[in-house]
Amino acid sequence: MRYTITSRQNPHIVDIFKLKQKKYRDEMGLVVLEGERIIRDALGQKIQPQCMVVCEDNLTKFEYILKDLECDVYVTSKSVFNTLSNTQNSQGLLAIVHFVPSPFAMPTQNFLVLDGVQDPGNMGTIIRTAVALGYATIYLYNCVDIRNDKVLRSTMGTIFKAKLIEVDIDMLQQVASVAQLIVADMHGTDLKDILLNGLFGIVLGSEANGVSDEVSRLATHTVCIPMQNNVESLNVAVAGALLMYGLKSE
């Protein structure tokens, strides 16, 4: 069904607005996807929206997306839509979808452990890169909320192709019992010289403090990315991409 909404106090609008807060995203298990590309990608992966919101000015443009949906579509005035949007120059289209982290499971392929990654842009870039390079299982330890709007947009739709698992240190110990954990360290083995035997996971630490002591203690290998011109460190997403591409197992 389609409904025209002109009031910000409409109950549907109020409920969607609440999803700007983490506690409501957690309670409802819902996230807001904003923009044509990520919504098309989600629909292409058979993600069924609970509802859609479209600005009346953009209704004709997005009719090709809306016409075959089986959910409610809320057509709003521009002022109402702007209260829900998280971008300055919105395309005028939102999808509210169910999205929660995956339940804990042991790894069956090479994977990532993200330890304290807090920047949404870095998180989204890491997820996108991991999916592209075959590290689609990602364990999250004390990280930024993956349902954050900036994380979702930074993944450019690939978040629905990843298995994202929130863990505590006991869960990580279980993972470490069946797989090698590799931590980047300036005194570690040169990336080009290491060949791993079997299943492994790459650990990426926080932007400010690196890998925490409790996670470092679980590591079986340390590896370094040699750098020149007195550069001491790389952005965590860049370092992660180099390690994912460079590390291989027999």
Side-chain angles (χ1 to χ4, degrees):
M1 295 287 291
R2 292 196 183 186
Y3 303 91
T4 298
I5 296 178
T6 58
S7 170
R8 299 179 186 181
Q9 279 70 50
N10 179 282
H12 298 300
I13 300 302
V14 171
D15 284 344
I16 295 169
F17 183 82
K18 288 179 179 178
L19 295 175
K20 289 178 179 283
Q21 300 179 53
K22 182 181 184 301
K23 68 175 183 177
Y24 288 109
R25 295 194 294 269
D26 291 346
E27 286 178 11
M28 300 178 189
L30 298 173
V31 296
V32 179
L33 306 181
E34 181 166 4
E36 182 177 10
R37 179 170 180 173
I38 190 172
I39 292 172
R40 277 192 334 205
D41 287 344
L43 294 174
Q45 294 169 60
K46 309 303 181 184
I47 304 296
Q48 296 299 319
Q50 288 217 347
C51 65
M52 300 283 294
V53 183
V54 60
C55 179
E56 60 188 359
D57 296 346
N58 304 91
L59 182 58
T60 301
K61 176 181 178 182
F62 294 125
E63 188 62 43
Y64 81 99
I65 292 177
L66 302 170
K67 63 180 180 180
D68 296 323
L69 296 178
E70 297 180 357
C71 64
D72 288 340
V73 176
Y74 304 129
V75 182
T76 73
S77 63
K78 188 171 184 177
S79 62
V80 171
F81 188 91
N82 286 343
T83 65
L84 304 178
S85 173
N86 287 306
T87 61
Q88 289 188 338
N89 298 299
S90 177
Q91 294 178 311
L93 186 69
L94 303 175
I96 289 73
V97 304
H98 182 262
F99 178 69
V100 296
S102 298
F104 178 70
M106 300 296 274
T108 58
Q109 61 181 12
N110 295 337
F111 58 93
L112 290 187
V113 175
L114 303 185
D115 174 12
V117 174
Q118 294 299 318
D119 181 82
N122 283 337
M123 175 65 79
T125 300
I126 291 168
I127 292 171
R128 184 182 180 200
T129 305
V131 169
L133 296 179
Y135 294 76
T137 297
I138 305 174
Y139 296 97
L140 306 166
Y141 179 64
N142 295 334
C143 290
V144 64
D145 179 21
I146 55 172
R147 287 160 286 201
N148 178 298
D149 174 70
K150 291 181 180 178
V151 173
L152 294 170
R153 282 189 279 116
S154 295
T155 70
M156 300 182 73
T158 56
I159 196 165
F160 300 108
K161 297 179 180 179
K163 181 187 289 186
L164 302 167
I165 303 172
E166 295 178 337
V167 294
D168 57 28
I169 195 64
D170 291 334
M171 294 174 181
L172 282 182
Q173 287 175 337
Q174 293 181 55
V175 171
S177 71
V178 301
Q180 305 159 90
L181 291 188
I182 291 77
V183 173
D185 184 275
M186 62 186 301
H187 301 296
T189 303
D190 192 314
L191 175 60
K192 70 177 184 297
D193 295 330
I194 190 167
L195 183 63
L196 298 162
N197 181 22
L199 189 67
F200 69 86
I202 298 170
V203 182
L204 302 177
S206 76
E207 296 85 352
N209 302 310
V211 178
S212 62
D213 290 342
E214 63 267 28
V215 175
S216 289
R217 283 192 285 268
L218 301 177
T220 54
H221 297 78
T222 57
V223 61
C224 72
I225 301 170
M227 291 179 282
Q228 302 178 29
N229 300 313
N230 295 319
V231 176
E232 295 182 355
S233 64
L234 297 172
N235 170 275
V236 64
V238 173
L242 291 172
L243 292 169
M244 282 184 274
Y245 185 78
L247 289 173
K248 297 177 176 60
S249 57
E250 294 178 333

